[in-house]
Amino acid sequence: MTSAAATARAVREGSVSALSVVEEALARVGQRNDQLNVFLHVDRPGALAAARRVDEAVARGEDPGPLAGVPLALKDNLCQTGVPTTAGSKILAQWRPPYSATVVERVVAAGAIVIGKTNLDEFAMGSSTENSAFGPTRNPLDPTRVPGGSSGGSAAAVAAGMVPISLGSDTGGSIRQPAALCGVVGVKPTYGSVSRYGLIAFASSLDQIGPLATNVTDAALLLEVIAGHDPRDSTSLPEGSPALMAHLDDGVAGVRVARVRELIEGADDDVVAAVDAAAAALRDGGAIVDDVSIPELRLGLSAYYLIAPAEASSNLARYDGVRYGLRVSGDDVGAMYEATRSAGFGAEVKRRIMLGTYALSAGYYDAYYGQALKVRTEMIGAFRRAYARADVLLGATAPSVAFALGARAQTPLAMYLSDVFTIPTNLAGDAAVSIPFGVGEGGMPVGVQLLGPGRSEAGLLAAGRVLERARGDS
Amino acid sequence: MTDFDEWETVVGLEVHTELKTVTKMFCGCENIFGAEANTHVCPVCLGLPGSLPVLNVRAVELAIAIGLALNSTVSPSTFHRKNYFYPDMPKDYQISQYDQPINVGGYLDLPDGSRVTIERAHLEEDTGKSTHLGGGGRIHGADRSLVDYNRSGVPLVEIVSGPDMRSAAQARSYVSELRAILVAVGASDGRMEEGSLRIDANVSVRRRGESFGTRCEIKNLNSLRSLGRAIEYEARRQIDLIKSGARVRQETRHWDEGLAVTATMRSKEEAEDYRYFREPDLVDLVPGDSWRDAVAGSLAPLPAQRRETLATRLSDPTAAQLDAVVVVVDLGFDGFVSAALDAGVGVALALARAANELAKDPDRARKLATSSFVSVLALEEGGQLSSTQAKAVLAELLETGGDPAAIVRAKGFEQLSDDAVEEVVAAAINDHPNEWARYAAGDDKLAQFFVGEVMKRSRGRANGKAVIAELASRR
C-alpha cells in the first residue's frame, strides 16, 4: 500500500484527493474487518467529512499538515470526542467521551483522517488481543494466529493494509510485541515524550502512546506529530517534538550496538536467528556490535507484574457504576459496585486488580510493591551503565512469532512471558522500537528490538532504517 | 473534687481548610461555593477515563503561606493516592500527601500564651458532596443519593496538630486562631458554615499524670460550637466508661448535632486500608528557597502581630479590652479600629463597637466601608449620637449599607440646633419650677433630670452636652 508519507505528499500537492484515499481505506476495512475483527468502531461519516475538509483546505491553497489525508486508526483506549471509546471492556461499552486525547487533537490538526477505533485486550491487559470483551482480533497474515497485544487491532489494521499508520499504547510491550507479530514497525517512545492525556490509563507510570506503521519513515512522521510537551500531562517532558525525519538516514556508522543476552535467551531459534542477522546487518552498516549481559533485566517481568497491577487496581477503581459506563443495580451502594464490576470486567482485568490490591495492602506493601520499586530502580541503573558503553541495545521483541489463537489463553504465565523482552524498557522509561526482520515459523514475521536511553528515538529509527534497507526494502 | 480535677482531656485536631483559589486543584474549573449542582465540572474533576491532573500553582503558594504562618518547614514533597470507594469521589481515590507533606512540623501560639505543635500541613483534593434522600441522611439505608461534583477537586490543606490541647475551650481557641491565620494569609474565607473549614477531633482522657489514653476520632465537626460540645461529650463518655470499669475502644465516631451525642461510625478493625502509593500522574513538588521566600515576602501580618499592634495603642488595657482585641483581630476588624483611633475616637469606644456591634454580623461587617464605621463613631464620640443611636445606625449600615449621614437623618437622629435646644430647655424649666429652683441653688444632680426631660421632649435628638451647657448658662 502507499506509505503515509507518499499519501500526505500527494494530497498536499493536490494530485490525489483525501476523499479518495479515505474511501479506499474504508473499502479495505469493509473487506476484511468481519473476518479479522480489527475495528470495534468505524467512523465512516466522520472520516469522510474530515477528508472533505482536508480537500477543501488544499483547494483554498492551505497546507492541511504533514499527515494530510492519511487514514489512521486509534487504539480504542484513546478518547475521541463523541466517538465510542471502550478500552475493550463491557464496562465502557456505551461510553462516548466528551473530549479528545491530546494525540488525537494533534493527528487531526496534522491532517490525518481517523478511520475508527481498534480492538485491544481489555484495558490494554494482555498480549494477544484475546482479552477483549468484543472478541479476539485475528492476525491478517494468518487468521488462525493472534496479532499480539494489547494493541493487536492497531497492528493488524496496518498489517492488513487497512491504514498505513495507527496509534497504540505500550505499557509492557503492547505496541512492540503486536508490531513484531504482525510484521510492522512499532515505537515505544520515551516516557513523557508523548502526552498521555486522553489515554485510558492502565499503569500510569509505564503507559506511553506510540506509532505503528508499515515502515520506519511513516512511524517517524507520526511520532513527530504526536510528540512534544503537553501542559495537560504533568509527566510530559518539557521539550518539544524531536527532529526524527531529519535524522532518518544518519545510518549507524560508528554506532556502538550491544546485543543483550537477556533479551534473546529463551527465544525460539527462528527469533534468535533474526536477531543474529540484524546484528550482522548493523555491522555491515558500520556499527560496532558487541555482546553484553545485563542480568537485572531478568527481574523485569516479576517487578512489572507487581507495579502495573498495583497502579491498575487504583486506575480502574473509577469504573464503579456511579457516573458513566455500565451500572448493575444492587441493594445498596456496595452491592451496586460489586455487581457492576463483576459483570463489567473480564477475567484478566479482575486478576490484575486483585494482584495489585494485594501488592499494595498494609502488611504486604514492603514485600511486594515496595520491593518491585527497588527492582525498578536497579533496572534503571543497569540500563544507565549499559548505555555508558553502548548507544543501542539489540534483542528480540518477542520470544516467538505469532502463536495460535487460544494457545496461551488459559495459561496467564505463558502469556505474561510474551512480554519478557519488552517490559524492561517500560520500567526504565526509555525508548525502543520493533522492526520486522526476517521470517520465522510458518512464514510469520519476526521482530527485532532496538533499545536506547530516553530521547534516543532519532538514533533508534535511523538504525531501524538500516535494517529496513538491509531487508531489501526501499 | 470533680472528675475534671482528677481527669484530663487530651485533644489533637485535624483541620481541613478549602483554599481560596480561583480554580480547582488539578483543573481549570472555577472553585466556587453555592453554584447549581454539577455546573463547575470537567473531565479532570469528574475523573473521566484518560483525564490527568495538573497541579494548581496558586494552591501550592497558599499551602506554603499556611506553612510559613504555622512555623513549619516547607519541604520537598510528593503526592500519593489514598484509595477507597465512595460515590462522591470520582476516581475512587483521593490525591493527597502522605509521608512527604509540603509543610513539616511547626507550632501555633494561642492568645492565652499556650503553644500547640503542628505535625504537618499537607495538600489534598476535596471530594464532591453527597445528599442522601431517605434513611436519615446517611448513605446506608438511603433511598437515593445525589452527588454534586462542583466541590470535587477543590484544593484543601489538612493541618494536623499534636495532641497538645487539654480542654474543649483550648481546642476552640486553637481553631479560632488558626482560622484567623488562614484568613490573614489569604488561604481561606474562614466560612465554617459553608464547609470551608472542617474539623476532625482526636479525643482521649487520662488521669492527670498518666500516659495517653485510647483515642477516638470524631469526624466532621463544622462549627466551633459543635467542636466544643463534641469534645465535652466525648470526654465525659470516656471518663464514665473507664470509671465503670470498661475500656475505651479506638474508633471513629460521628457527632450528631441534634442529639448532641457522638456515635460509633467504624471501629479500628473496620478501618479502611487505603493502599497509599505514589501518584504516578504527578511529579514531585519541590518548592525552592526563592519561591518560599517570595511567598514569605508577600505574607500579610498575622493575627498575633496584629493583636500586638492594636494592644500598643491601649495605654493601660483592662482584661476586657484585651479580650476585645482578640475578638476584633480574630474577626479581622482591627482595620476598623485602627482607622477610628486615627480619627480621634477613643480606644474603649472603638474596641467596644467593633467587638460587639460589628461582630453581630461579621460577613456583612467585612463589606462595610471603613469610613462609614469611623464617621458613626466620630459622631458618637462628639456627642452628636447617643450610644443607643450609634448602635442603631451601625446595625442599619450592616443591614442595608448606604451613607451613615443619610441613615442618621432618616432615623431622625439629627440633633437639634442650638436655638431649638434653648427652646426645649426653656420649656422644661417652665414646667418644672421646683426642680429648677433646686438646680439653680447648686444641686448639680438635677442636671440629669433636665437632660432626661429634654431628651423626652426632643425624642432623643438633643445633644446631652449642649443641654448641660444651656442649663449652666441659665443658672
Side-chain angles (χ1 to χ4, degrees), chain A residues 225-253:
Chain A
V225 167
I226 62 172
H229 180 68
D230 177 11
R232 290 179 292 190
D233 176 356
S234 307
T235 62
S236 170
L237 295 170
E239 298 91 346
S241 185
L244 303 175
M245 299 295 280
H247 295 285
L248 274 182
D249 293 319
D250 282 2
V252 290

Side-chain angles (χ1 to χ4, degrees), chain B residues 163-229:
Chain B
D164 293 351
M165 287 157 273
R166 295 292 175 266
S167 68
Q170 195 187 9
R172 289 182 56 149
S173 168
Y174 166 80
V175 173
S176 292
E177 183 68 5
L178 182 56
R179 185 185 157 287
I181 287 174
L182 296 172
V183 172
V185 302
S188 167
D189 57 20
R191 292 173 200 271
M192 295 189 74
E193 67 285 3
E194 291 180 2
S196 39
L197 224 63
R198 304 195 291 276
I199 307 159
D200 301 336
N202 284 292
V203 179
S204 64
V205 298
R206 62 177 173 185
R207 287 193 173 82
R208 289 184 191 280
E210 290 183 353
S211 55
F212 288 137
T214 302
R215 71 192 154 86
C216 290
E217 184 180 12
I218 311 168
K219 284 293 205 192
N220 258 328
L221 299 163
N222 294 339
S223 70
L224 285 178
R225 184 179 139 83
S226 302
L227 173 70
R229 293 172 79 203

Side-chain angles (χ1 to χ4, degrees), chain B residues 60-92:
Chain B
V60 177
E61 284 173 357
L62 291 177
I64 293 173
I66 291 170
L68 293 171
L70 296 177
N71 309 291
S72 298
T73 308
V74 178
S75 308
S77 65
T78 55
F79 288 94
H80 273 65
R81 292 186 184 177
K82 181 180 182 179
N83 295 285
Y84 63 102
F85 282 84
Y86 204 79
D88 64 18
M89 200 165 54
K91 303 183 294 293
D92 288 305

